[in-house]
Amino acid sequence: MIYLLVIMFCFIIAVLVTPYVMKLAYFTKAVDQPNQRKVHHRIMPRMGGLAIYVSFLLGYMIFRVKGYALNNAEIAFIDAYFIASFLIVVTGMLDDMFELPAKPKALVQLVAALIMVLYGDFMIDKIYLPFLPVIDLGWLGIFVTIAWIVGITNSINLIDGLDGLSSGISAISFGTMAILAAYQGELFVAIMSCLLLGSTLGFLVHNFHPAKIFMGDTGSLFLGFSVSVLSLLGYKNAAFVSFIVPIVMLSVPIFDTVWAIIRRILNGQSPFEPDRGHVHHQLLDRNLGHVKSVLVLYAIAGLFSLTAILYTMTSKFYGLVMLVVAMVVVELVFNTTGLFRSKLKTKDEGQEQNEQEKSS
């Protein structure tokens, strides 16, 4: 019952707060201008992630979530998480208003990850893989944890290219974490996940196509950071998931990020240079339409989340069988749409495009 109350409260707050954040976005000039790479055709307010953050904070205070922390690790996590997430949200707001360069944003993400590791005592020190011995990382766990936090934070940011996509994928992830944590009796993780789930769903009311507001980096960085740390918190405390579960659960953003890096390198571009070759762009280019493209990715994310749930709540064997099924389905979807065959240019084509861009 408490889980439903938390979700509904944060949902209502986010629905009510978002219109005021829209006004604030216009007032502070935190707006998104249309261009060739983007899919919207009019000026849109961004910084909508502030509504998610505000509703999350209100829910946290109303339900006194800190009282659900049962051990020192969770208490340390709370303090570190709020310091680090505040830095993330402020950076996102500044980026939405002034479009910060990539390096300062990356530096803040690194600092946030270090806060979690050093102050929050949050570190992946062991990896549990199915049917294999436990891998003890030792001090290498520091670098693995930082890489995970920064990588997942950016992966959620990178898929924020269609109305409701990033917020919807994040909501599916939070819902999955809430189910897994509740099943294993990790009450604190479950409540935190429900707070973020309700806040994200409330914002999604205004963010689904046709969107009235974008979450901006304020939202995508905050959600990405929250997904990255919460997906491993229960794993760190009580091994309620093995390391494979967070990876499976976040397969859509992880795949899109890895493929974006590979694609850009093969095209002779910087891995950090934005382009229009993301999975959601390519689905849209195949005339699926905005809503259908988003729903296809929702379905894939839901399929992998179901795999993570089966793996945890039934048996590793059935979970791995479901994982194979999910991968086959994704392979069929990608081959049908030709995702891997497009957006890769030859060297001459790449040079020709660069010359055209310089002359324009």
Side-chain angles (χ1 to χ4, degrees):
M1 186 64 180
I2 182 65
Y3 301 133
L4 184 59
L5 286 175
V6 169
I7 293 171
M8 290 304 299
F9 177 84
C10 291
F11 176 85
I12 293 171
I13 295 298
V15 170
L16 296 176
V17 168
T18 301
Y20 294 98
V21 173
M22 290 171 59
K23 295 179 180 180
L24 178 63
Y26 281 121
F27 179 76
T28 58
K29 302 294 190 296
V31 295
D32 206 345
Q33 300 286 346
N35 59 37
Q36 185 178 5
R37 188 175 62 87
K38 297 175 181 177
V39 298
H40 62 284
H41 303 291
R42 61 186 178 90
I43 296 176
M44 291 289 294
R46 51 190 180 189
M47 203 165 70
L50 183 61
I52 300 175
Y53 185 63
V54 168
S55 61
F56 165 75
L57 289 180
L58 287 175
Y60 180 88
M61 291 185 290
I62 292 295
F63 291 97
R64 301 181 180 181
V65 179
K66 193 169 185 176
Y68 293 104
L70 300 178
N71 54 53
N72 292 332
E74 290 174 343
I75 294 173
F77 170 87
I78 291 172
D79 295 335
Y81 172 76
F82 277 101
I83 295 171
S85 62
F86 178 76
L87 291 177
I88 289 287
V89 169
V90 170
T91 302
M93 291 176 64
L94 291 174
D95 183 63
D96 289 336
M97 289 187 287
F98 305 113
E99 297 190 1
L100 301 177
K103 289 182 179 179
K105 290 192 293 182
L107 179 61
V108 171
Q109 293 172 40
L110 180 60
V111 170
L114 284 171
I115 290 174
M116 295 305 304
V117 171
L118 301 179
Y119 183 67
D121 191 27
F122 180 83
M123 188 179 78
I124 306 167
D125 51 5
K126 293 181 177 63
I127 294 179
Y128 300 83
L129 294 175
F131 313 117
L132 293 175
V134 176
I135 301 174
D136 192 344
L137 294 175
W139 61 269
L140 288 175
I142 296 175
F143 299 100
V144 173
T145 306
I146 292 173
W148 173 266
I149 294 174
V150 174
I152 297 300
T153 300
N154 280 282
S155 69
I156 298 296
N157 186 32
L158 285 174
I159 64 170
D160 187 25
L162 296 181
D163 296 351
L165 179 56
S166 186
S167 51
I169 295 293
S170 298
I172 292 171
S173 300
F174 291 132
T176 305
M177 286 187 278
I179 292 172
L180 293 176
Y183 174 76
Q184 292 292 338
E186 291 280 343
L187 186 58
F188 172 72
V189 180
I191 293 292
M192 289 286 287
S193 300
C194 287
L195 288 171
L196 289 160
L197 173 60
S199 302
T200 306
L201 289 176
F203 173 75
L204 188 58
V205 171
H206 300 278
N207 184 233
F208 197 75
H209 187 74
K212 302 179 184 69
I213 184 172
F214 294 157
M215 68 165 58
D217 274 22
T218 308
S220 60
L221 293 179
F222 171 63
L223 291 181
F225 177 76
S226 299
V227 166
S228 70
V229 295
L230 276 180
S231 63
L232 292 181
L233 179 60
Y235 158 78
K236 176 182 181 297
N237 288 343
F240 81 86
V241 291
S242 63
F243 195 66
I244 193 173
V245 173
I247 295 175
V248 171
M249 182 177 64
L250 299 170
S251 292
V252 171
I254 289 175
F255 165 79
D256 189 57
T257 300
V258 172
W259 175 237
I261 293 172
I262 294 173
R263 181 184 65 250
R264 290 166 185 173
I265 292 175
L266 292 177
N267 286 338
Q269 299 173 288
S270 166
F272 307 104
E273 182 181 346
D275 60 18
R276 204 178 183 281
H278 291 285
V279 173
H280 51 271
H281 287 136
Q282 296 184 47
L283 288 172
L284 194 64
D285 290 343
R286 279 150 184 81
N287 299 319
L288 282 182
H290 203 118
V291 173
K292 287 183 180 179
S293 298
V294 171
L295 292 180
V296 165
L297 292 175
Y298 281 1
I300 293 174
L303 188 60
F304 279 108
S305 289
L306 178 61
T307 301
I309 291 172
L310 288 176
Y311 181 88
T312 304
M313 298 175 64
T314 58
S315 71
K316 292 180 175 62
F317 175 77
Y318 290 123
L320 291 175
V321 169
M322 188 64 187
L323 177 60
V324 173
V325 172
M327 293 176 67
V328 170
V329 171
V330 171
E331 175 71 14
L332 291 174
V333 172
F334 287 175
N335 280 336
T336 301
T337 56
L339 292 179
F340 290 115
R341 296 191 297 271
S342 64
K343 300 299 179 183
L344 292 178
K345 305 184 290 291
T346 65
K347 183 177 181 180
D348 292 337
E349 289 173 335
Q351 290 176 347
E352 181 180 352
Q353 182 182 14
N354 291 335
E355 291 174 359
Q356 290 175 350
E357 290 175 352
K358 289 179 181 179
S359 61
S360 60

